[in-house]
Amino acid sequence: MFKIAVLISGGGSNLQSIIDKINSKELDCEIEIVIADRDCYGLERASNFEIETLLLNRRELKKDLCAEIHKNLVDKNINLIILAGFLSILTKEFVEYWDKKIINVHPSLLPKFGGQGMHGMNVHNAVITAKEKISGCTVHFVDSGVDTGEIILQRTVDVLNDDTPEILQKRILVEEHKILPEAIEKIIKEF
Ligand code: GRF
């Protein structure tokens, strides 16, 4: 069985989209563990489906956060780590060890509107301020840069004249929930 770990920091709606696809048998893999770097609703979503969870305190662990995550993944023979709204930056050592085994979902059409500080509403604010007509989402492999790894899948979404960042975020999230499981499926097929 293809084994995945999901790293989260927030609501976990992308985690939910993976759980749903596994439960409906559209995705052939198993979530071995969900790890959060702060207390968040996503942990509850995992517990609801009896998935193992681990809450790590990023403030206490500081630069040891990645080592702690690694310790909890390495013995589980994890095939793929999914960053689903995970806000801590991974260390170079961690990313190099798990080369081509970490993917991230980002709410813009990378390389546009990515990089340090470009998360959550900052992304959608920037898209609207720049008067973009099209935005979207990207699933990409994680390398040692921020949002710079090889792109696996992207989906576009129209930016409408009267969009607020919140409305745009919702429209894009709907597409994230489709392309994240699709990207996982693609990787499983190529495995
Ligand atoms: C998503 O917009 C994702 O693109 C970004 O963080 C958000 C996470 O949302 N990386 P959720 O926690 O999956 O609901």
Side-chain angles (χ1 to χ4, degrees):
M1 182 61 88
F2 192 89
K3 293 178 177 181
I4 66 175
V6 186
L7 273 49
I8 58 168
S9 303
S13 67
N14 277 291
L15 164 68
Q16 190 68 54
S17 74
I18 302 169
I19 294 174
D20 292 346
K21 291 284 179 197
I22 292 174
N23 287 346
S24 65
K25 309 245 184 282
E26 288 164 88
L27 202 51
D28 191 17
C29 61
E30 209 171 314
I31 304 177
E32 289 292 305
I33 189 166
V34 170
I35 301 178
D37 66 349
R38 66 202 73 195
D39 199 12
C40 58
Y41 181 61
L43 286 171
E44 208 173 305
R45 292 187 192 264
S47 300
N48 287 341
F49 290 89
E50 284 161 19
I51 298 165
E52 183 183 336
T53 59
L54 175 67
L55 170 58
L56 296 174
N57 187 330
R58 70 191 190 287
R59 295 218 170 92
E60 269 169 25
L61 286 163
K62 296 193 180 92
K63 61 178 176 29
D64 295 328
L65 176 70
C66 277
E68 203 56 35
I69 295 171
H70 179 78
K71 218 169 74 188
N72 282 281
L73 297 182
V74 78
D75 292 336
K76 291 188 185 295
N77 297 317
I78 298 294
N79 300 109
L80 188 67
I81 300 167
I82 293 142
L83 310 185
F86 186 68
L87 292 174
S88 293
I89 303 285
L90 300 171
T91 59
K92 194 168 176 284
E93 293 73 26
F94 184 92
V95 171
E96 280 173 4
Y97 182 92
W98 296 96
D99 185 38
K100 277 285 163 72
K101 287 188 177 164
I102 314 172
I103 65 171
N104 179 45
V105 58
H106 183 83
S108 78
L109 293 175
L110 292 174
K112 281 186 153 187
F113 305 102
Q116 202 89 40
M118 274 295 169
H119 55 77
M121 218 46 86
N122 295 351
V123 179
H124 309 296
N125 268 320
V127 167
I128 288 175
T129 305
K131 299 198 186 328
E132 296 286 324
K133 292 286 173 215
I134 291 172
S135 189
C137 46
T138 304
V139 179
H140 63 96
F141 283 110
V142 173
D143 65 11
S144 53
V146 182
D147 301 324
T148 52
E150 184 191 325
I151 291 170
I152 303 164
L153 277 180
Q154 289 186 304
R155 189 115 339 136
T156 59
V157 152
D158 288 337
V159 183
L160 306 180
N161 286 338
D162 55 356
D163 270 353
T164 61
E166 289 76 14
I167 291 172
L168 181 59
Q169 180 190 43
K170 281 201 186 111
R171 194 178 305 124
I172 291 175
L173 207 46
V174 172
E175 299 306 317
E176 289 181 43
H177 296 160
K178 295 178 194 161
I179 66 165
L180 184 56
E182 277 175 39
I184 299 169
E185 196 186 352
K186 193 166 181 262
I187 293 167
I188 294 173
K189 279 195 178 133
E190 287 165 7
F191 181 65

